Amino acid sequence: MSASKKRPTLDDLDLSLGKRTRLHRILYEYGNKNGTALLLPIDQGLEHGPVDFFANPDSIDPDYQLRLAVEGGYSGIVFHIGLAQKYMKKYAGKVPLILKLNGKTAIPSDKYAFSPQTASVEDAVRLGADAVGYTLYVGSPAQGEDFIQFMQVREEAERYGMPVIVWSYPRGEAIEAKGGRDSLYAVDYAARVANELGADLVKLNMPEFDEKKMEQCPKPYNTLKLSPEEAVRKVVESAGKTMVLISGGSKISDEDLIEKARICMEAGVAGLIFGRNMWQRKHDDALQITARIKEMMMDYSA
Amino acid sequence: MSASKKRPTLDDLDLSLGKRTRLHRILYEYGNKNGTALLLPIDQGLEHGPVDFFANPDSIDPDYQLRLAVEGGYSGIVFHIGLAQKYMKKYAGKVPLILKLNGKTAIPSDKYAFSPQTASVEDAVRLGADAVGYTLYVGSPAQGEDFIQFMQVREEAERYGMPVIVWSYPRGEAIEAKGGRDSLYAVDYAARVANELGADLVKLNMPEFDEKKMEQCPKPYNTLKLSPEEAVRKVVESAGKTMVLISGGSKISDEDLIEKARICMEAGVAGLIFGRNMWQRKHDDALQITARIKEMMMDYSA
Amino acid sequence: MSASKKRPTLDDLDLSLGKRTRLHRILYEYGNKNGTALLLPIDQGLEHGPVDFFANPDSIDPDYQLRLAVEGGYSGIVFHIGLAQKYMKKYAGKVPLILKLNGKTAIPSDKYAFSPQTASVEDAVRLGADAVGYTLYVGSPAQGEDFIQFMQVREEAERYGMPVIVWSYPRGEAIEAKGGRDSLYAVDYAARVANELGADLVKLNMPEFDEKKMEQCPKPYNTLKLSPEEAVRKVVESAGKTMVLISGGSKISDEDLIEKARICMEAGVAGLIFGRNMWQRKHDDALQITARIKEMMMDYSA
Amino acid sequence: MSASKKRPTLDDLDLSLGKRTRLHRILYEYGNKNGTALLLPIDQGLEHGPVDFFANPDSIDPDYQLRLAVEGGYSGIVFHIGLAQKYMKKYAGKVPLILKLNGKTAIPSDKYAFSPQTASVEDAVRLGADAVGYTLYVGSPAQGEDFIQFMQVREEAERYGMPVIVWSYPRGEAIEAKGGRDSLYAVDYAARVANELGADLVKLNMPEFDEKKMEQCPKPYNTLKLSPEEAVRKVVESAGKTMVLISGGSKISDEDLIEKARICMEAGVAGLIFGRNMWQRKHDDALQITARIKEMMMDYSA
Amino acid sequence: MSASKKRPTLDDLDLSLGKRTRLHRILYEYGNKNGTALLLPIDQGLEHGPVDFFANPDSIDPDYQLRLAVEGGYSGIVFHIGLAQKYMKKYAGKVPLILKLNGKTAIPSDKYAFSPQTASVEDAVRLGADAVGYTLYVGSPAQGEDFIQFMQVREEAERYGMPVIVWSYPRGEAIEAKGGRDSLYAVDYAARVANELGADLVKLNMPEFDEKKMEQCPKPYNTLKLSPEEAVRKVVESAGKTMVLISGGSKISDEDLIEKARICMEAGVAGLIFGRNMWQRKHDDALQITARIKEMMMDYSA
């Protein structure tokens, strides 16, 4: 890995005291405490509906994820305002809260995808959160509204010293016509946008290589076939001084998950944000695979 | 019922002093005073028009519902700002006011349903209300505007310690294409959304099982046929730490109504919000069935 | 008339000191001074254009209407901000000003009718007005924008103790498909909406019974054929504690106008708001019929 | 001319001290100093593009118009914020500035014409302007947005005592379908709208009589054929206590221009606002015709 | 060149102390220090995506451009908020920062192009920037939203004494139908709009002469064929007292670039803003051509 491709650490970033203090908690005081982050997101009840909880009925109770986050030693848990306010008090301080600030249901069309605010940075401060999450639908026809909403969140976060994690998701009719939301073109662009607009961390999906869809991608992406690790390395580079978190997506097998996690870490990401792959497993299974992933992540201290 | 499925009580919730004080009035100082709520809504004149008053002409005068609420010993009455300001003074303190903060007429198309604000939380404070009501059209293409409007109401309510009851109603062209607004899929999703976005209580309709429409629901809802009680239990679980109120819908017979009410209580709801089923009955009939329902609800103290 | 159907008086309403003081002027200090109101509106130059002045060329000068209002002893005159500021000073205090706060031209399509603000309640306070007027297009697809704009006007009016008269007008493509803007269904709904949203007075048109259009009305309005007086009585009841003003519409004969006025008063309205029927008549004719109507209204003191 | 048709003077208007002071400068301290106004507008570079400067290449430099305005002794010059800030300092106080507050390019379609704000009244105060200009697209489908924007400008102008000149221009697809933007129907309506909404002065185009288009006008305008002077007299009457300025339109011959100017003054307008007709002429020619027009305007002191 | 066509200098402009101080740094304290500006923009990662970095993989790291800017002695570097905050600290004060305040991705359609804000002028002040950049899509159907957003930026910049550079870009379906975004008609109009709306500097593309597209341009542009230098001279004249920067566009050969630069300087522009043409070259090549261009620019001191 060239110097410029190494993942950024807190020392590489020009963060305010508040942001650095809070990120330090996520990276060095919780989880592996080695500069990596393993986050447990539980916003799928809003984004997908209760349908995601059928695979493991216990998971419908947010307390399930909280116990997993605390017992598994996660670096943070991601909640919308309602769940944070109603479920976290007894776990206060045991696991950092990342308050998700916007979201939407999966019911209406995604052609003009826009994720409206559901909470403010001030809400996050009030609840003792250590970061906020914001979904940016890169390339959506609604990007005008989205960028402006994000700017306001970014400025409010700057004022309060609150780190901002951007869920940088290509979405909308235009990206579907240019190779789809999971193409390297789309994810690579999304990584750069997060870096340009001022994210502190960026959550990305692993690029996928669908030969048919690739043809629709702009040059040179239409012929650029990379290995999974090369692809992640590419988007990490585009994210620059924005730490990258890779999401898990829908549930896969233990070995596949660990393999995926290792590829990402190897490629220079700062952490993993695995939701369904964790809490759709039974509590003990989830703890077990959590432990294995954390152990693997110990190889990537920074 | 597993522990996690028991309905939440005030002790389970992490409420501010103001919210707890006001909800305590609704749950323990008025109505059955046993932790359940029986609410009388009278916003149908706006939502449906005066057409709903034809069945019982006396009901067109909001004083009719106020007398019913006071004499029947309801836990609260739901009004829009105009009715609250003009009719409640002589009943002040005799029955809690829930101020409905948004609403719309039934005249234009519901494809892009949105319920605009008609009053503010500050109006509710000024009028001595003990809660506010907000209609959220879950899944509407206008959800962007709706979520943001709700966030502002939620934050204003937080500031004033005012409990928020969300009318969580699936609505709009997209939900119609996915099995309709009354499917378990739709109601279950709506319950979770209210929990995620920060409702204190959520008003839901009982799910309906229309075989033809079910086919259009996403998996596994398209094949999930539950009994009425199982269905309510399901949505109560999705609502989590958000107390559930079930609405009555259009007028049904005494026995059907009591049966419906018992099923709901049995399934773990915190209360009932019956409008047309009450005030479309003659005063004495309404008082009588109110008494029977309240008696039944005494079995569900918490 | 049953007690509940009698028209409301100031004592029946729960008004702030400022609102009561100002309405008292309109109802008891000017005009008939007997609790009824006869208002002279002159906003047609904006709503219809100068075309309405062709019938009586003198009427193009707002001074014409002001002289009529003062010499005829009207309870108030209705102006938009421009006319109020430019023409009223020499009549200051001689006739109450009702400042119309929104309006539009008749040029673009009415499918999505919306009446934007042209002045604020603060403007009305500054000009010494005794009430403000607001046009609400009930049932328009733009009702979201309209309700929110009205809420802001209502709250500002509450703050300043300024009475609000709502021009409650069914309008837009949806109401045209359901029997039209003048059906009993439409006017009755509009009366209730004004009551629910917090109008102090509501201006309505007399319902019309067009057999062909009635078929398109929702049940039971599609078969509900009432006499003119019954129809007005019906909408007065729907308006509840909101005093009703009936508008005159386009110019009709002296006898028809007086007959219409008497029917309305008999049915429980609090007043009349006759514009074109007055100022499209020559000054002396207008004074004469004004006197006859006022004399008739003396039978309806309250 | 009947008394009511004489053009209004400062004494007829009920202006605040600030507005009267500033208008007095335009009407009595600069230009003819006889109560008439001759204004030089130079916003065509924005509204039409540099294309308007081809006829007289010198005119592309705003200094050209400034020299013309000062040497010709105009009552005021009309600029957008950029030109005012960059070009006026050396002419400060030598000719009043009218700051144009909104504008648009001619590139996109005019179907839904809307003229967005480019500067605020506060900008005008800061630059020492004596009036502001606002383009109102009467009858545009965007009138909702436009009226509200204008209300805000009007209220800000009221606060600062700044006179408001409304460019009252019929525009948009609906007026095109009703006889076009230059019909008497359209201009007459626009004159009244400016009066109703609170303009201090209104800039209008001379009505045109195109027989084919007239058929599309609403009654009785579809058959109303007036002489140019009668037509101007008609719109002056509709403008009421709003002083009328007539614009020059595209360049015409010296004699035609003077004839047009005299017709307008004879019909009761308060002034002329001639742009292209002036600065598309060579400097000396423009000074010469300016002098002739000013001499003619001396016959219309007030 | 006539006096009026010479490019404006700081002395010709009526700038506030803050604006003059900051522009003086860009024009006389950095770069050639002779009143010209050579700027290095690096917002293409947002506007085009990482695709622009394939030609020179090192360029994906913003540090690459920063080193080039400092070592090459540029007058300023253009960044969005994210890159400025994350990469500039170690180069603080070594090269002026121009903070780009709005931007968009290239993914959705450009028919209704609008560039939403990504940062505020206050952000620029906080970061020690010496100017802000704003993209104005001249002629877009979204110009209403754009002009208003720009007005707010301009007023905020005025308050803080921050120079505003407008990227004045013809864009949207209407300009495509009138000869395209690069026609002389389009660029000339864009130059004037920036001058009228209050830009301090304007960034323009060199007009192109495509015979087929020219036919669609409005008269007389449809037949106006100018040499490159004449064309730039024309737009410089339209920009008036707004200093012009010409952008480089996609990468061309050394000789072509220098020739283009000289033509522009000769025609009266104040500076060049060359991005891809610089950082798509290898570091040493970029330094070399930078030196050659700067040397040429020394002929144009002012």
Side-chain angles (χ1 to χ4, degrees), chain A residues 3-41:
Chain A
S4 71
K5 286 177 189 172
K6 260 191 7 199
R7 75 169 196 259
T9 66
L10 284 186
D11 286 336
D12 297 324
L13 306 181
D14 179 18
L15 296 169
S16 67
L17 180 60
K19 286 195 174 194
R20 184 157 177 159
T21 300
R22 289 184 170 100
L23 273 187
H24 194 271
R25 281 188 207 126
I26 290 170
L27 294 168
Y28 295 101
E29 303 296 328
Y30 292 85
N32 273 326
K33 307 184 181 188
N34 73 332
T36 65
L38 180 63
L39 303 179
L40 191 71

Side-chain angles (χ1 to χ4, degrees), chain A residues 40-243:
Chain A
L40 191 71
I42 169 59
D43 62 340
Q44 294 82 353
L46 176 60
E47 298 290 341
H48 308 154
V51 69
D52 279 9
F53 308 124
F54 279 83
N56 176 20
D58 290 345
S59 67
I60 200 171
D61 183 353
D63 192 75
Y64 182 83
Q65 284 89 358
L66 273 163
R67 279 190 299 122
L68 174 55
V70 171
E71 293 178 21
Y74 277 75
S75 313
I77 190 165
V78 182
F79 274 138
H80 270 279
I81 182 78
L83 304 191
Q85 291 202 142
K86 294 173 196 166
Y87 293 90
M88 277 210 74
K89 196 171 243 180
K90 73 174 175 181
Y91 301 98
K94 295 184 182 168
V95 61
L97 168 65
I98 289 103
L99 189 69
K100 191 78 200 314
L101 297 190
N102 62 344
K104 66 174 186 58
T105 71
I107 299 170
S109 163
D110 253 6
K111 279 188 178 179
Y112 313 101
F114 173 69
S115 186
Q117 258 190 275
T118 62
S120 65
V121 177
E122 193 178 311
D123 281 318
V125 173
R126 178 168 57 83
L127 300 179
D130 281 317
V132 292
Y134 183 94
T135 297
L136 192 78
Y137 286 132
V138 174
S140 169
Q143 72 181 354
E145 205 176 341
D146 202 1
F147 277 25
I148 288 170
Q149 182 179 255
F150 177 69
M151 176 182 66
Q152 291 161 348
V153 163
R154 182 188 55 72
E155 292 196 333
E156 198 188 355
E158 191 66 42
R159 196 155 60 242
Y160 290 116
M162 181 65 70
V164 178
I165 307 175
V166 170
W167 272 231
S168 201
Y169 283 4
R171 203 62 54 96
E173 60 182 13
I175 201 69
E176 293 310 316
K178 290 180 181 171
R181 64 179 74 169
D182 293 317
S183 72
L184 178 62
Y185 165 71
V187 179
D188 203 29
Y189 204 147
R192 179 78 186 195
V193 169
N195 197 28
E196 297 252 357
L197 297 194
D200 296 305
L201 292 92
V202 61
K203 175 180 189 283
L204 299 168
N205 289 310
M206 274 189 76
E208 288 176 14
F209 294 87
D210 175 317
E211 304 226 346
K212 207 174 168 60
K213 287 185 172 177
M214 265 181 70
E215 290 169 16
Q216 298 180 292
C217 287
K219 287 182 191 170
Y221 292 97
N222 58 342
T223 58
L224 195 67
K225 190 99 202 320
L226 303 182
S227 73
E229 187 181 329
E230 287 167 336
V232 177
R233 198 176 294 275
K234 175 86 185 70
V235 303
V236 165
E237 200 177 23
S238 289
K241 289 200 178 178
T242 311
M243 291 182 186

Side-chain angles (χ1 to χ4, degrees), chain C residues 11-254:
Chain C
D11 286 336
D12 297 324
L13 305 181
D14 179 17
L15 296 169
S16 68
L17 180 59
K19 284 196 175 195
R20 184 157 177 160
T21 301
R22 288 184 170 99
L23 272 187
H24 195 273
R25 280 190 207 124
I26 291 171
L27 294 168
Y28 295 102
E29 304 295 329
Y30 292 84
N32 273 326
K33 306 185 181 186
N34 72 332
T36 63
L38 180 64
L39 303 180
L40 191 71
I42 169 60
D43 62 342
Q44 292 84 352
L46 176 60
E47 297 290 340
H48 308 154
V51 69
D52 279 8
F53 307 124
F54 279 81
N56 176 19
D58 290 345
S59 67
I60 201 171
D61 183 354
D63 193 75
Y64 182 82
Q65 284 89 0
L66 273 163
R67 280 190 297 119
L68 174 56
V70 171
E71 294 178 22
Y74 277 76
S75 312
I77 190 165
V78 182
F79 273 138
H80 270 280
I81 182 76
L83 304 193
Q85 291 202 144
K86 294 173 197 166
Y87 294 90
M88 276 210 75
K89 196 171 242 179
K90 74 174 175 182
Y91 301 98
K94 296 185 182 168
V95 60
L97 168 65
I98 289 102
L99 189 70
K100 191 78 198 314
L101 297 189
N102 64 344
K104 64 174 187 58
T105 71
I107 299 169
S109 163
D110 252 6
K111 280 189 177 180
Y112 313 101
F114 172 69
S115 185
Q117 258 189 273
T118 60
S120 65
V121 176
E122 194 178 311
D123 282 318
V125 172
R126 178 167 57 83
L127 299 179
D130 282 317
V132 292
Y134 183 93
T135 297
L136 192 78
Y137 285 131
V138 174
S140 168
Q143 71 181 354
E145 203 177 341
D146 202 0
F147 278 24
I148 288 171
Q149 183 180 255
F150 177 68
M151 176 182 68
Q152 292 161 347
V153 163
R154 182 189 54 71
E155 293 196 334
E156 199 188 356
E158 191 66 43
R159 196 157 57 246
Y160 289 116
M162 181 66 70
V164 179
I165 307 176
V166 170
W167 272 232
S168 201
Y169 283 3
R171 204 62 55 96
E173 60 181 13
I175 202 69
E176 292 311 315
K178 291 180 180 170
R181 63 180 73 170
D182 292 318
S183 73
L184 178 60
Y185 165 71
V187 178
D188 203 28
Y189 205 147
R192 180 76 186 198
V193 169
N195 196 27
E196 296 253 355
L197 296 194
D200 296 305
L201 293 92
V202 60
K203 175 178 188 285
L204 298 168
N205 288 311
M206 274 188 79
E208 288 177 15
F209 294 87
D210 175 317
E211 304 226 347
K212 206 172 167 60
K213 288 184 172 177
M214 265 180 71
E215 290 169 17
Q216 297 179 293
C217 286
K219 290 183 191 169
Y221 292 97
N222 58 342
T223 58
L224 195 66
K225 190 101 203 317
L226 303 182
S227 73
E229 187 181 329
E230 286 168 336
V232 177
R233 198 176 293 276
K234 176 85 185 70
V235 303
V236 165
E237 200 176 23
S238 288
K241 288 201 178 177
T242 312
M243 291 182 187
V244 175
L245 304 172
I246 293 286
S247 58
S250 52
K251 191 180 156 192
I252 51 180
S253 75
D254 282 21

Side-chain angles (χ1 to χ4, degrees), chain E residues 193-230:
Chain E
V193 169
N195 197 28
E196 296 253 356
L197 296 194
D200 295 306
L201 293 91
V202 60
K203 175 180 189 283
L204 299 168
N205 288 310
M206 273 189 77
E208 288 176 14
F209 294 85
D210 176 317
E211 305 227 346
K212 206 174 168 59
K213 287 184 173 177
M214 266 181 71
E215 291 169 16
Q216 297 179 292
C217 288
K219 288 184 192 170
Y221 292 97
N222 58 343
T223 58
L224 195 67
K225 191 100 202 319
L226 304 181
S227 73
E229 187 181 329
E230 287 168 336

Side-chain angles (χ1 to χ4, degrees), chain D residues 55-245:
Chain D
N56 176 20
D58 289 344
S59 66
I60 200 170
D61 183 353
D63 194 74
Y64 183 82
Q65 284 89 359
L66 274 162
R67 279 189 298 120
L68 174 55
V70 171
E71 294 178 21
Y74 277 76
S75 312
I77 190 165
V78 182
F79 273 138
H80 270 279
I81 182 77
L83 303 193
Q85 291 202 144
K86 294 173 197 166
Y87 294 89
M88 276 210 75
K89 197 172 241 180
K90 74 174 174 182
Y91 302 98
K94 297 186 181 166
V95 60
L97 168 65
I98 289 104
L99 189 69
K100 191 78 199 313
L101 296 190
N102 64 344
K104 65 175 187 58
T105 71
I107 300 170
S109 163
D110 253 6
K111 279 189 178 179
Y112 313 101
F114 172 69
S115 185
Q117 258 189 275
T118 61
S120 65
V121 176
E122 194 178 310
D123 281 318
V125 173
R126 177 168 58 83
L127 299 179
D130 282 316
V132 292
Y134 183 94
T135 297
L136 191 79
Y137 286 132
V138 175
S140 169
Q143 72 181 355
E145 204 177 340
D146 201 1
F147 278 24
I148 288 170
Q149 183 179 257
F150 176 68
M151 175 182 68
Q152 292 161 348
V153 164
R154 182 189 54 71
E155 293 197 334
E156 199 188 356
E158 191 66 42
R159 197 156 58 245
Y160 290 116
M162 181 66 70
V164 178
I165 307 176
V166 169
W167 272 231
S168 201
Y169 282 5
R171 203 62 55 96
E173 60 182 12
I175 202 70
E176 292 311 316
K178 290 180 180 171
R181 64 180 71 171
D182 293 319
S183 72
L184 178 62
Y185 165 71
V187 179
D188 202 28
Y189 204 147
R192 180 76 186 197
V193 168
N195 196 27
E196 297 253 356
L197 297 194
D200 296 306
L201 292 92
V202 60
K203 175 179 189 285
L204 299 168
N205 288 311
M206 274 190 78
E208 288 176 14
F209 294 86
D210 175 317
E211 304 226 346
K212 206 173 167 61
K213 288 185 173 178
M214 265 180 71
E215 290 169 17
Q216 297 180 292
C217 287
K219 288 182 190 171
Y221 292 97
N222 58 342
T223 58
L224 195 66
K225 191 100 203 316
L226 303 182
S227 74
E229 186 180 330
E230 285 167 337
V232 177
R233 198 176 292 276
K234 175 85 185 70
V235 303
V236 165
E237 199 177 23
S238 288
K241 288 200 178 177
T242 313
M243 291 182 187
V244 175
L245 304 172

Side-chain angles (χ1 to χ4, degrees), chain B residues 153-171:
Chain B
V153 163
R154 183 189 55 69
E155 292 196 334
E156 198 188 355
E158 192 66 42
R159 197 157 58 245
Y160 289 116
M162 181 65 70
V164 178
I165 307 176
V166 169
W167 272 232
S168 201
Y169 282 4
R171 203 63 55 95

